[in-house]
Amino acid sequence: MARPLASFHLVVTIAVLLTVLGLVMVLSSSSVGAVATAGSAYGLFTSQVIFAVLGMVIFYIALQIPIRLLRRFAFPAFAFSVVLLVLVLIPGIGTVSQGTRGWFVIAGVSLQPAEIAKITLAVWGAHLLASRRGENSTLREMLIPLVPAALLVTGLIVLQPDLGTTVSIVIIVLALLWFAGLPLKVFLGIVGTAVSLAVVLALTAGYRSERVRAFFNPGDDPQGAGYQARQAKFSLADGGLWGRGLGQSRAKWSYLPNAHNDFIFAIIGEELGFLGGVAVIGLFGLFAYVGLRIAMRSVDPFLRLFTATATTWIIGQALINIGYVVGLLPVTGLQLPLVSAGGTSTATTLLMFGLIANAARHEPEAIAALHAGQDGRFARLLRLRKPEPYRAGRTTARRRRPPAPPEQRGATRAGRPAEGRNQPRKGAGRARRAQPAQDPGRGRQQTNRARRGANGRSGERGNRR
């Protein structure tokens, strides 16, 4: 109880540091290309700042959302995101960008519905599994309708096509099932199926197969499919231990494609050096520890599942991005969370950070401290609402109730066996002795005598006294 709000403060600090680092590196890596295309070095940076500010507003709203309200609108939000994924595939509504029909352009602002679908799937999946979780839950209740819904979303994203977002959806579903307690054999079977489908998808489409071939044979096409990954390694090697200095990258001068987006970690390694890259990895490592710590300390099953899943998704995406930049994985197109350029990705990731920070405020020790007045200056400045303690619902309590023993299953509706109804009751204080049966006529005579004694002689004696 010394620092009950430590998890909350760490999540907020990590979100702010990664967002600021992302803005600085986007300005540094995109300035040359922005001058060549738009005539201003601040074109892409300005757009990123707008989405970062919008993301901070969403972060604040996520801190204020009650958990009950979040769970109530989980499925409608997921259904709405599926409708958006369908609409974006229609020519004339969806816009093609970088070979993917996955964007809405509204008043010059690009929105990617697949990023929204990832959040709604994580929230609705955690709500669904938390509602059905218990000793009596079956395997079918854990898999249906979550897995069919996830396959629907995955299919719509594959049609765009978008390999990076597909990988993110798979990570979210696997994390949900793992933390929900899916049997190990079934989980390994699902992982094997997902890997098989990933191999099939990687070898069917032209651009995906080229990336896989370039990963296994980087020297076959150094100026084509393997050019981007090769230039990223050169950029990291050029940085050395201390880096060339902020803004002094050479790769951003049209030597490294998508330097501000997918391969921004290469620019970080070139300008800030090996130490800068380790610092970024350290921030994500600290976030992994804090996120899983919040999940372990949460009492609410929904918050436990959602926080663990969101943390796994963000860390998995960061590791995949860093992995293909340094040459350990094939290029998938996944962005570095909060660091790579991308307005929708930045806003949605800040929403996830806000929900995780909200879960940190729902830890038992944090709730006790906040209701005791230990909210601190930051919470008072933002006027954050105090979280409500978790109360298990009727469904959860009913699922956690152990089954009745076999000897009680043959009991009568009165709750006692058919034989020996005059036996003493259990669990009602002192045991009552069995009363022998009495003659009905004798009972009426005793009642009449008692009435005469109360109204007759005993009353007169009472008056004389």
Side-chain angles (χ1 to χ4, degrees), residues 170-244:
V170 173
I171 293 175
I172 291 172
V173 176
L174 292 179
L176 282 171
L177 296 176
W178 173 260
F179 291 112
L182 189 70
L184 182 59
K185 294 182 179 179
V186 181
F187 180 79
L188 292 178
I190 294 177
V191 171
T193 304
V195 172
S196 302
L197 292 176
V199 172
V200 172
L201 291 175
L203 297 178
T204 52
Y207 79 100
R208 289 194 291 259
S209 60
E210 290 179 358
R211 289 179 176 180
V212 174
R213 288 197 300 267
F215 172 73
F216 288 104
N217 300 304
D220 291 349
D221 191 9
Q223 297 297 325
Y227 177 78
Q228 197 173 19
R230 185 165 172 263
Q231 292 296 322
K233 295 177 184 178
F234 290 160
S235 179
L236 290 171
D238 195 18
L241 181 63
W242 303 100
R244 297 183 54 85

Side-chain angles (χ1 to χ4, degrees), residues 73-82 85 113-129 143 145-155 157 165-177 302 305-306 309-310 313 351-352 355:
F73 291 97
F75 180 74
F78 174 72
F80 177 72
S81 64
V82 173
L85 290 177
E115 295 291 336
I116 303 175
K118 292 190 291 186
I119 298 178
T120 56
L121 177 61
V123 175
W124 175 67
H127 165 68
L128 183 67
L129 293 177
L143 297 179
L146 176 62
V147 174
L151 291 177
L152 174 63
V153 173
T154 304
I157 295 176
T165 307
T166 305
V167 174
S168 298
I169 294 294
V170 173
I171 293 175
I172 291 172
V173 176
L174 292 179
L176 282 171
L177 296 176
F302 165 73
L305 275 173
F306 172 74
T309 301
W313 162 37
L351 172 59
M352 296 297 290
L355 294 176

Side-chain angles (χ1 to χ4, degrees), residues 32-380:
V32 176
V35 169
T37 56
S40 174
Y42 302 98
L44 184 60
F45 172 73
T46 304
S47 176
Q48 188 71 12
V49 169
I50 293 174
F51 275 98
V53 173
L54 178 62
M56 286 298 177
V57 175
I58 298 175
F59 182 93
Y60 175 75
I61 295 175
L63 283 176
Q64 301 282 21
I65 297 177
I67 302 302
R68 294 181 181 179
L69 184 65
L70 182 65
R71 300 186 65 174
R72 182 182 305 173
F73 291 97
F75 180 74
F78 174 72
F80 177 72
S81 64
V82 173
V83 173
L84 293 180
L85 290 177
V86 174
L87 292 177
V88 80
L89 295 176
I90 301 176
I93 299 178
T95 302
V96 179
S97 177
Q98 298 180 357
T100 300
R101 185 181 293 277
W103 301 86
F104 290 121
V105 179
I106 303 174
V109 179
S110 300
L111 299 176
Q112 191 175 9
E115 295 291 336
I116 303 175
K118 292 190 291 186
I119 298 178
T120 56
L121 177 61
V123 175
W124 175 67
H127 165 68
L128 183 67
L129 293 177
S131 301
R132 300 185 175 187
R133 191 178 183 185
E135 297 179 358
N136 299 330
S137 60
T138 62
L139 181 63
R140 182 176 181 179
E141 291 179 347
M142 296 183 66
L143 297 179
I144 300 176
L146 176 62
V147 174
L151 291 177
L152 174 63
V153 173
T154 304
L156 293 174
I157 295 176
V158 169
L159 293 177
Q160 294 182 3
D162 190 348
L163 179 61
T165 307
T166 305
V167 174
S168 298
I169 294 294
V170 173
I171 293 175
I172 291 172
V173 176
L174 292 179
L176 282 171
L177 296 176
W178 173 260
F179 291 112
L182 189 70
L184 182 59
K185 294 182 179 179
V186 181
F187 180 79
L188 292 178
I190 294 177
V191 171
T193 304
V195 172
S196 302
L197 292 176
V199 172
V200 172
L201 291 175
L203 297 178
T204 52
Y207 79 100
R208 289 194 291 259
S209 60
E210 290 179 358
R211 289 179 176 180
V212 174
R213 288 197 300 267
F215 172 73
F216 288 104
N217 300 304
D220 291 349
D221 191 9
Q223 297 297 325
Y227 177 78
Q228 197 173 19
R230 185 165 172 263
Q231 292 296 322
K233 295 177 184 178
F234 290 160
S235 179
L236 290 171
D238 195 18
L241 181 63
W242 303 100
R244 297 183 54 85
L246 189 62
Q248 302 301 318
S249 170
R250 297 176 180 176
K252 65 183 180 182
W253 291 83
S254 302
Y255 290 105
L256 178 60
N258 292 328
H260 60 283
N261 196 348
D262 298 344
F263 285 83
I264 197 170
F265 186 77
I267 304 300
I268 294 175
E270 183 181 6
E271 295 186 352
L272 304 181
F274 175 78
L275 297 180
V278 170
V280 173
I281 297 175
L283 283 177
F284 283 105
L286 179 60
F287 172 71
Y289 167 75
V290 175
L292 295 179
R293 179 176 183 266
I294 296 172
M296 293 178 61
R297 293 163 64 95
S298 297
V299 181
D300 190 345
F302 165 73
L303 290 179
R304 191 183 305 120
L305 275 173
F306 172 74
T307 305
T309 301
T311 303
T312 305
W313 162 37
I314 294 175
I315 296 303
Q317 183 170 329
L319 291 180
I320 292 175
N321 177 271
I322 297 173
Y324 70 69
V325 169
V326 300
L328 297 178
L329 295 173
V331 178
T332 58
L334 280 175
Q335 298 177 340
L336 191 60
L338 294 182
V339 181
S340 297
T344 308
S345 175
T346 300
T348 53
T349 306
L350 284 174
L351 172 59
M352 296 297 290
F353 269 85
L355 294 176
I356 295 174
N358 192 355
R361 289 171 56 85
H362 281 80
E363 295 180 359
E365 295 182 355
I367 292 177
L370 291 173
H371 284 274
Q374 302 178 13
D375 46 356
R377 297 180 180 178
F378 181 76
R380 289 194 296 267

Side-chain angles (χ1 to χ4, degrees), residues 328-454:
L328 297 178
L329 295 173
V331 178
T332 58
L334 280 175
Q335 298 177 340
L336 191 60
L338 294 182
V339 181
S340 297
T344 308
S345 175
T346 300
T348 53
T349 306
L350 284 174
L351 172 59
M352 296 297 290
F353 269 85
L355 294 176
I356 295 174
N358 192 355
R361 289 171 56 85
H362 281 80
E363 295 180 359
E365 295 182 355
I367 292 177
L370 291 173
H371 284 274
Q374 302 178 13
D375 46 356
R377 297 180 180 178
F378 181 76
R380 289 194 296 267
L381 178 63
L382 297 179
R383 297 182 179 180
L384 299 178
R385 58 184 300 274
K386 294 182 179 180
E388 299 178 359
Y390 169 70
R391 294 182 179 87
R394 295 180 179 180
T395 305
T396 306
R398 191 181 300 114
R399 288 182 177 273
R400 292 181 178 178
R401 184 180 301 169
E407 59 270 10
Q408 292 184 6
R409 295 177 183 176
T412 60
R413 294 181 179 180
R416 288 178 291 172
E419 300 178 0
R421 294 184 179 179
N422 293 330
Q423 295 178 358
R425 297 180 181 178
K426 298 180 180 180
R430 297 182 179 179
R432 297 182 180 180
R433 297 180 180 179
Q435 300 293 335
Q438 297 181 357
D439 185 13
R442 187 177 179 181
R444 287 194 295 268
Q445 293 177 2
Q446 291 180 356
T447 304
N448 295 333
R449 290 177 183 178
R451 290 178 179 176
R452 289 197 301 266

